[in-house]
Amino acid sequence: MADTPSLHFGGSGFPERHLRDILEARVHAVPPGGEMVWTTYYFRDRELAKALVKAAERGVQVHIFMEAQPRYAGANDDVIAILKSNMHLPGLTLNLWDSAVPKKLAAHLHSKIYWFSHPVPTAFVGSFNPSTDIPEDEAIVAAIGDQDRGYNLLFETQDDAICAGLKAYSLDGFSPLQRFHSMQNKAIHGDALSLWFFPRINSRIVHNRLKQVGSNAWISLAMSHFKDVEILRRLEDVVRRGGEVRMIVHHTERRVPEAIVAQARKAGINIRRYRHKDALPMHSKYLLIETANRKESWLGSLNYNWRSRYINHEILLRSTEPDIQDALARNFDTIFSECTNPE
């Protein structure tokens, strides 16, 4: 069907539970005989888990794929317990991803996909995990960040090819050898949208696009995790060709080393760290490229670091819809204005 994609933002200016409330409303809207496929890294929202259980009780097929060993050990345990206690429901399936290798080398299920069959097949992808809860465990949320109140986004699409690809990608089961599957290494093209799955043999999708950017381009990058020196070099090349590059990165050294920030500033990139007085995160992951005759947006779950590029299960989406790029640009400007200025 013809697609009219839309963006949903969390963070400053939006209600605290805006993104999870959107997902919950969609859960309630799926009728008996419908289907849902969810893939997520952190899932701690017990009320949202109970909504999925109620959907299964009324005859909805509910497939949930979740990381078994997230960085904060045990963070998903309460939701897992709720779901496991209802596995007698014929429509409910829970698949916990555990790569069963040493943690340093472990592939994580880092994709965020929320697919609904009704009222029409619709998928949400982006950076948002339902990772906070009420009442809250302050130790956990302090460690992983409050994604309900921090900057996050979900991209909503009804594009037939993209929705079918996201559903199939999740239901495939996340095999350890998935990077070698032929479908895993193809791009799926829809109406002004393209979709790539990770891990894949050729991981230089963004790198190659940045190589093609000509002179006088405008690039804005909001990335919570950035350690990819090769992408940084491509951005430096854009500046050398007369382009302008602005970057927003997370405030922590673990997610973005200070050496990366220093190198970017030395190259003429206008980079700022987002520091919130309440330690709310900037968890967004998107890249905007604007030239004289084209606007494009790159977004999804993919962080710009080696783990996301080579190991993790990730989603990368490109939109050439100008309205999407304009909405993201406004969001970028808002966050950028709140950032710590260069010292």
Side-chain angles (χ1 to χ4, degrees), residues 19 71 111 155 180-181 220 291 329 337:
L19 296 179
R71 180 178 179 85
S111 304
F155 177 91
F180 302 110
H181 294 184
S220 300
T291 61
S337 69

Side-chain angles (χ1 to χ4, degrees), residues 159-170 188 195 197:
D159 184 285
D160 287 339
I162 301 300
C163 286
L166 289 165
K167 179 185 179 184
Y169 165 81
S170 292
I188 297 176
L195 174 67
F197 303 121

Side-chain angles (χ1 to χ4, degrees), residues 61-105:
Q61 293 291 316
V62 180
H63 309 279
I64 303 168
F65 298 83
M66 192 191 317
E67 171 65 35
Q69 298 294 330
R71 180 178 179 85
Y72 193 103
N76 294 337
D77 285 357
D78 287 347
V79 163
I80 290 171
I82 290 171
L83 297 173
K84 281 188 172 181
S85 69
N86 287 279
M87 294 310 295
H88 60 281
L89 297 171
L92 182 63
T93 61
L94 173 63
N95 298 272
L96 298 176
W97 166 257
D98 189 342
S99 61
V101 299
K103 191 168 185 178
K104 186 175 181 179
L105 300 176

Side-chain angles (χ1 to χ4, degrees), residues 162 182-190 193-197 200 205 316 318:
I162 301 300
S182 60
M183 286 302 298
Q184 182 80 3
N185 288 280
K186 293 180 180 178
I188 297 176
H189 300 291
L193 292 173
S194 297
L195 174 67
W196 291 265
F197 303 121
R200 60 189 299 110
I205 308 301
L316 176 65
R318 181 187 65 195

Side-chain angles (χ1 to χ4, degrees), residues 1 22 30 42 123 129 132 155-157 162 166 174 177 189 191 214 231 234 259 283:
M1 66 175 292
I22 289 172
V30 179
Y42 280 122
N129 296 296
T132 55
F155 177 91
E156 177 184 357
T157 178
I162 301 300
L166 289 165
F174 303 103
L177 299 178
H189 300 291
D191 183 12
I231 281 190
R234 300 290 78 78
H283 194 249

Side-chain angles (χ1 to χ4, degrees), residues 52-296:
L52 293 172
V53 170
K54 287 185 180 296
E57 289 175 341
R58 66 175 181 267
V60 178
Q61 293 291 316
V62 180
H63 309 279
I64 303 168
F65 298 83
M66 192 191 317
E67 171 65 35
Q69 298 294 330
R71 180 178 179 85
Y72 193 103
N76 294 337
D77 285 357
D78 287 347
V79 163
I80 290 171
I82 290 171
L83 297 173
K84 281 188 172 181
S85 69
N86 287 279
M87 294 310 295
H88 60 281
L89 297 171
L92 182 63
T93 61
L94 173 63
N95 298 272
L96 298 176
W97 166 257
D98 189 342
S99 61
V101 299
K103 191 168 185 178
K104 186 175 181 179
L105 300 176
H108 292 297
L109 181 53
H110 194 248
S111 304
K112 299 104 170 63
I113 304 166
Y114 311 97
W115 181 93
F116 304 88
S117 64
H118 289 73
V120 296
T122 303
F124 295 78
V125 299
S127 58
F128 177 70
N129 296 296
S131 60
T132 55
D133 197 19
I134 297 176
E136 188 53 272
D137 184 321
E138 296 301 332
I140 295 179
V141 80
I144 70 176
D146 188 336
Q147 291 195 31
D148 276 326
R149 297 169 58 207
Y151 280 111
N152 251 313
L153 66 86
L154 287 173
F155 177 91
E156 177 184 357
T157 178
Q158 296 173 2
D159 184 285
D160 287 339
I162 301 300
C163 286
L166 289 165
K167 179 185 179 184
Y169 165 81
S170 292
L171 293 178
D172 189 52
F174 303 103
S175 159
L177 299 178
Q178 198 163 1
R179 75 173 64 247
F180 302 110
H181 294 184
S182 60
M183 286 302 298
Q184 182 80 3
N185 288 280
K186 293 180 180 178
I188 297 176
H189 300 291
D191 183 12
L193 292 173
S194 297
L195 174 67
W196 291 265
F197 303 121
F198 288 70
R200 60 189 299 110
I201 295 172
N202 174 16
S203 66
R204 287 183 168 84
I205 308 301
V206 176
H207 305 71
N208 292 339
R209 177 65 188 103
L210 288 172
K211 273 187 176 182
Q212 299 166 356
V213 173
S215 59
N216 300 317
W218 295 271
I219 292 181
S220 300
L221 173 64
M223 187 58 55
S224 61
H225 297 60
F226 191 106
K227 296 181 181 179
D228 194 319
V229 176
E230 188 177 349
I231 281 190
L232 183 57
R233 291 189 186 122
R234 300 290 78 78
L235 295 172
E236 292 171 356
D237 290 342
V238 172
V239 173
R240 278 193 288 270
R241 293 193 291 267
E244 178 183 340
V245 179
R246 296 184 300 164
M247 292 177 61
I248 304 168
V249 295
H250 198 273
H251 70 274
T252 61
E253 181 90 5
R254 178 180 71 81
R255 294 176 177 89
V256 186
E258 187 58 31
I260 290 284
V261 175
Q263 182 178 340
R265 287 176 179 160
K266 184 178 180 181
I269 294 171
N270 190 350
I271 183 170
R272 297 183 181 183
R273 289 191 185 270
Y274 180 79
R275 302 178 189 272
H276 190 276
K277 61 182 180 61
D278 296 327
L280 299 182
M282 192 290 297
H283 194 249
S284 301
K285 309 163 197 307
Y286 60 81
L287 166 70
L288 310 179
I289 302 175
E290 182 175 353
T291 61
N293 56 7
R294 181 182 175 92
K295 292 182 177 181
E296 59 190 273

